[in-house]
Amino acid sequence: MANSVIDLIYRAKQDRIDILWEDGRLQLKAPKNADKNLLEEIKNNKESIIDFFNENQRTAKKYNKITKAERSTLSPLPLSYSQERLWFIDQMEGSVGYHIPSVLKLSGTLNKEALRKALAEIVNRHEVLRTVYKEEGGEPRQEIREKDGWKLEEVTVDQGQLRHYIEQKIRTPFDLGKDYMLRATLIEQEEKEHLLVVTMHHIASDGWSMPVIVREVA
């Protein structure tokens, strides 16, 4: 049963239909031109999908409380249950739907060097933002990257292409085995007008994280 539900979720994702499990509720997000037969199949299998998500939650409760790992080395570490679930989804169908984006308008004289250093220091300080997720012996493992490797991307974009460019940046998939879980692009519009496009992956953060990052940068 679980495999058939996973297959259904995968086919839905291929058709840009998101089946989400949030706060104990099943949510469906579909484009206007979504396959009606597929939507009907999802509707007919609603109870099985709910059972699948509930079973995952019950399985998660069986795990022991996560203890603090030895910090003397940066050796690979196991994933939390939530991280493991997101890693599995990413392997199956990609995880663009779990990106957490923010577009910030910066007006006035910008000290770019200060911004670069501020963002880099945040990534240095929060290990989860420089953690990658690699498969080892058939199991996913966390690996914390060394400090001082993160870079701010700086570009200029034609005004007519700006919206498309930002959307493309936000929806560019993360490679969970290689990428930093925070990426930022600074777009210069005019000498005193910039846009900062920041995207984090939900495997490393949640909706509360972005305001924290903004306050820390400020």
Side-chain angles (χ1 to χ4, degrees):
M1 178 65 71
N3 287 338
S4 62
V5 171
I6 291 172
D7 177 68
L8 181 57
I9 294 173
Y10 175 77
R11 286 190 289 116
K13 191 70 174 179
Q14 292 296 99
D15 203 46
R16 296 184 295 120
I17 300 171
D18 292 324
I19 302 175
L20 307 174
W21 185 249
E22 299 287 348
D23 300 323
R25 296 176 56 197
L26 193 66
Q27 298 183 28
L28 191 68
K29 295 182 179 179
K32 292 181 179 179
N33 61 345
D35 186 331
K36 294 182 179 179
N37 291 330
L38 184 55
L39 290 173
E40 185 66 22
E41 186 178 354
I42 293 170
K43 180 180 177 180
N44 293 337
N45 287 276
K46 179 179 178 181
E47 295 303 321
S48 296
I49 296 171
I50 291 174
D51 289 343
F52 173 77
F53 284 119
N54 278 330
E55 181 60 32
N56 281 345
Q57 286 191 335
R58 285 194 293 271
T59 302
K61 293 177 181 178
K62 297 177 183 178
Y63 286 86
N64 293 327
K65 182 179 179 181
I66 296 176
T67 57
K68 185 176 180 179
E70 174 58 47
R71 310 312 299 137
S72 60
T73 66
L74 297 180
S75 59
L77 303 168
L79 277 63
S80 70
Y81 177 76
S82 294
Q83 287 175 320
E84 192 173 69
R85 182 174 65 87
L86 282 172
W87 180 86
F88 175 75
I89 291 172
D90 183 77
Q91 296 296 303
M92 285 289 295
E93 60 197 54
S95 55
V96 172
Y98 293 91
H99 290 187
I100 303 174
S102 185
V103 181
L104 309 174
K105 184 176 181 179
L106 309 179
S107 298
T109 302
L110 177 63
N111 186 331
K112 294 182 181 179
E113 183 61 21
L115 179 63
R116 292 188 201 105
K117 289 182 176 179
L119 287 168
E121 181 57 29
I122 287 170
V123 176
N124 281 346
R125 185 146 56 92
H126 296 287
E127 289 179 338
V128 72
L129 296 178
R130 50 188 172 88
T131 295
V132 294
Y133 304 85
K134 299 183 177 181
E135 188 172 343
E136 183 180 284
E139 297 290 336
R141 291 288 184 266
Q142 299 186 61
E143 184 177 303
I144 303 169
R145 300 178 65 168
E146 297 286 355
K147 294 182 178 180
D148 300 322
W150 185 91
K151 301 294 182 183
L152 171 67
E153 181 183 31
E154 299 178 46
V155 299
T156 56
V157 181
D158 182 85
Q159 190 66 29
Q161 297 295 318
L162 184 59
R163 183 181 182 86
H164 174 72
Y165 180 84
I166 292 174
E167 291 177 349
Q168 186 179 49
K169 273 293 172 185
I170 290 172
R171 294 189 61 80
T172 298
F174 282 85
D175 183 336
L176 299 187
K178 296 179 181 179
D179 295 341
Y180 289 92
M181 295 298 104
L182 179 149
R183 62 185 181 218
T185 301
L186 181 67
I187 303 172
E188 181 172 351
Q189 295 182 286
E190 299 177 8
E191 183 180 353
K192 294 187 177 182
E193 293 291 336
H194 297 78
L195 293 176
L196 181 63
V197 182
V198 180
T199 308
M200 293 191 291
H201 196 285
H202 190 41
I203 200 169
S205 61
D206 56 27
W208 289 96
S209 302
M210 190 62 78
V212 173
I213 295 295
V214 172
R215 287 199 300 271
E216 290 193 359
V217 172

